[in-house]
Amino acid sequence: MSKSVSELQVLVFKLENKNYCVDIGHIDEIVDRDELTKLPDSARHVEGVMDLRGTTTTIVNPKTVLGLPDSSTGDRVVVFETEDERSIGWVIDEVNQVVSVDEADVDDSVESKSVHGVIRQDDDFVIWVKPSEINV
């Protein structure tokens, strides 16, 4: 069975008690959070850096960028491929699953600087975020 041209795969993950997703084409890997080194004078959303197999990886808290309460910090890190060769990871609460999404099913009427749109999944919404806007 061939994949539809407008079908994409997204990684669904949790921040606080809400579901979010990103296109898996942007993701390099998912790792366990390791000890972070804080950076003085860094942006509010930068948690610090960690060593990922010899590469210094900047760890970002997407909750700060998205204006979410930060009741706890997760123990998983989604590492992104970036166009400028930087290694950036998001600390998330929980990885859910990879799902296929038809581009036509994405409601982009709520698109903003950091949100691509929303996807209805069961009786809930999954917010599709733009890594490029959070990784700055």
Side-chain angles (χ1 to χ4, degrees):
M1 185 170 153
S2 67
K3 205 162 76 162
S4 164
V5 173
S6 63
E7 190 174 277
L8 301 167
Q9 289 195 312
V10 296
L11 173 72
V12 179
F13 58 92
K14 277 200 184 300
L15 296 174
E16 294 301 317
N17 61 351
K18 299 280 187 228
N19 286 321
Y20 293 83
C21 71
V22 292
D23 184 333
I24 64 165
H26 297 291
I27 297 173
D28 188 28
E29 62 183 318
I30 300 168
V31 298
D32 289 330
R33 179 184 170 153
D34 203 356
E35 189 169 327
L36 300 182
T37 301
K38 297 281 187 192
L39 297 175
D41 300 323
S42 60
R44 239 181 84 229
H45 67 285
V46 175
E47 294 276 309
V49 293
M50 80 180 205
D51 178 32
L52 188 59
R53 287 181 300 290
T55 300
T56 301
T57 303
T58 303
I59 304 301
V60 169
N61 187 340
K63 294 178 191 178
T64 305
V65 178
L66 297 170
L68 299 172
D70 190 4
S71 64
S72 65
T73 304
D75 60 356
R76 303 290 286 168
V77 174
V78 176
V79 181
F80 290 90
E81 294 180 347
T82 61
E83 292 179 14
D84 58 4
E85 303 301 316
R86 295 182 301 154
S87 183
I88 296 179
W90 291 1
V91 62
I92 61 169
D93 295 334
E94 182 182 320
V95 174
N96 287 2
Q97 61 186 339
V98 173
V99 295
S100 294
V101 175
D102 192 313
E103 187 79 43
D105 293 336
V106 178
D107 182 349
D108 60 5
S109 67
V110 297
E111 185 170 10
S112 67
K113 182 178 178 187
S114 58
V115 174
H116 176 67
V118 295
I119 304 163
R120 188 176 300 275
Q121 186 180 51
D122 302 321
D123 291 331
D124 204 3
F125 288 110
V126 177
I127 301 169
W128 188 334
V129 291
K130 300 175 185 175
S132 60
E133 295 302 322
I134 294 178
N135 289 343
V136 292

